[in-house]
Amino acid sequence: MLLLALLVAAPAVRAVEVLTVRELVSHCQLMEAEPRGVDAQYCIRYIQGFIDGAVVTDVRVLLNAEAASNRTESFSERAKRTRAPGIRDQFRAARLAGFCLGDPLPLKDVVDVVVLDLVALNIDDTADSPARGAVYASLREHFACPDE
């Protein structure tokens, strides 16, 4: 009975708390003063994680879509496709995300560009918008894939 009362009284919980532009900028603005500090690392790793997540997701989506159109693959072909996506797959999939970072491109260069955009958005209503959308828009704007 006590457990039921606690569950009813508990506040609603989201599966994932949304990080806002304002919150991310509060960390990123401290990068220049303390580049090795906790806040700087939070900012850098958030942007790096966003990029890594986009690349991994897009590679998997691309490979799964290709597999769906070619149902006659062998077991070994499927194993290779699902367990060992290569660099070539990453380059092909980058176009799905709408940004291409190329190689080599120092993470610091990417972070600096994204942070400038985040700071510019840290005003009015946009400051409370999700940081993920602002990071994505910045990457697409500044690192667009070249036309083939």
Side-chain angles (χ1 to χ4, degrees):
M1 195 66 159
L2 178 62
L3 177 61
L4 181 60
L6 289 173
L7 288 174
V8 170
V13 178
R14 289 188 194 167
V16 177
E17 186 176 330
V18 176
L19 180 69
T20 66
V21 169
R22 181 187 329 273
E23 292 166 332
L24 185 54
V25 167
S26 73
H27 295 282
C28 295
Q29 285 181 322
L30 300 172
M31 278 192 342
E32 199 170 311
E34 292 185 55
R36 294 195 184 282
V38 173
D39 288 298
Q41 291 305 306
Y42 184 96
C43 176
I44 292 165
R45 299 304 167 220
Y46 181 88
I47 294 169
Q48 182 181 32
F50 182 93
I51 293 166
D52 288 348
V55 170
V56 163
T57 301
D58 289 342
V59 168
R60 187 63 48 213
V61 168
L62 174 73
L63 295 176
N64 288 344
E66 288 175 347
S69 67
N70 183 14
R71 292 281 184 204
T72 60
E73 67 185 348
S74 69
F75 174 78
S76 60
E77 290 169 332
R78 188 185 73 186
K80 182 179 175 186
R81 174 182 56 80
T82 60
R83 290 175 183 81
I87 193 74
R88 190 186 74 132
D89 296 321
Q90 291 177 10
F91 285 125
R92 290 185 315 126
R95 300 189 75 71
L96 290 174
F99 62 89
C100 296
L101 296 176
D103 188 45
L105 182 62
L107 178 61
K108 182 182 180 343
D109 294 351
V110 177
V111 169
D112 288 346
V113 168
V114 172
V115 168
L116 285 174
D117 285 348
L118 290 170
V119 170
L121 291 173
N122 193 26
I123 55 171
D124 303 327
D125 293 338
T126 59
D128 292 321
S129 64
R132 65 180 173 252
V135 171
Y136 181 57
S138 179
L139 291 168
R140 287 184 57 130
E141 179 180 342
H142 297 288
F143 302 99
C145 297
D147 292 332
E148 291 188 273

